[in-house]
Amino acid sequence: DTAVSQTPKYLVTQMGNDKSIKCEQNLGHDTMYWYKQDSKKFLKIMFSYNNKELIINETVPNRFSPKSPDKAHLNLHINSLELGDSAVYFCASSQVYTGEKLFFGSGTQLSVL
Amino acid sequence: RKEVEQDPGPFNVPEGATVAFNCTYSNSASQSFFWYRQDCRKEPKLLMSVYSSGNEDGRFTAQLNRASQYISLLIRDSKLSDSATYLCVVSGFQKLVFGTGTRLLVSP
């Protein structure tokens, strides 16, 4: 059983389009995250949710809108995609939001053309 | 200054060698420390937590020096399968902060 699963694995799209990435965890964790890994491999947090409540929004453009329908799901919607959005997006979860170890999904490679 | 800094490498070592990575962090209030491993085109996976007293897991030993604010990872008897990027991770305010990683290449 995959603990943290995200779809799709690959996403190729044109500039200006809107796209979504879905994430689900079956670990019973309270906290979920979105991380972005750019071409230089730097992994940076974007958002975190604890029990469906937004905890962290790391000055991400408001074109990015996370949605957490329940604590097992955290989806990421991106409006008006730009070239600079091309990256690998990782979903992750942890038991609590105070520095507990993370479990990652396998990543979504987003390519904006 | 970056919150977590690592030498990007790559470190090229032969099989059987011992190799050590260091990482420095800027937030003296950090309480949790980890090493993650990331294979090419894969997600990061927890390698080990780092405790104040130091800890060992098989061929891997992690050390924490709070006074100097650095963390180390020692790998003994390197295997080909150890080739990966090793990410130093430190707790910040309600989040974990990742270093950019140190790439290790183990050759036959």
Side-chain angles (χ1 to χ4, degrees), chain B residues 31-61:
Chain B
Q31 294 295 319
S32 303
F33 308 89
F34 308 93
W35 282 102
Y36 275 71
R37 170 191 169 131
Q38 186 172 24
D39 293 295
C40 188
R41 299 182 186 281
K42 299 283 189 181
E43 72 274 21
K45 291 184 178 176
L46 179 67
L47 179 65
M48 58 197 303
S49 302
V50 186
Y51 304 118
S52 296
S53 54
N55 49 302
E56 190 173 305
D57 183 1
R59 297 181 294 108
F60 299 83
T61 301

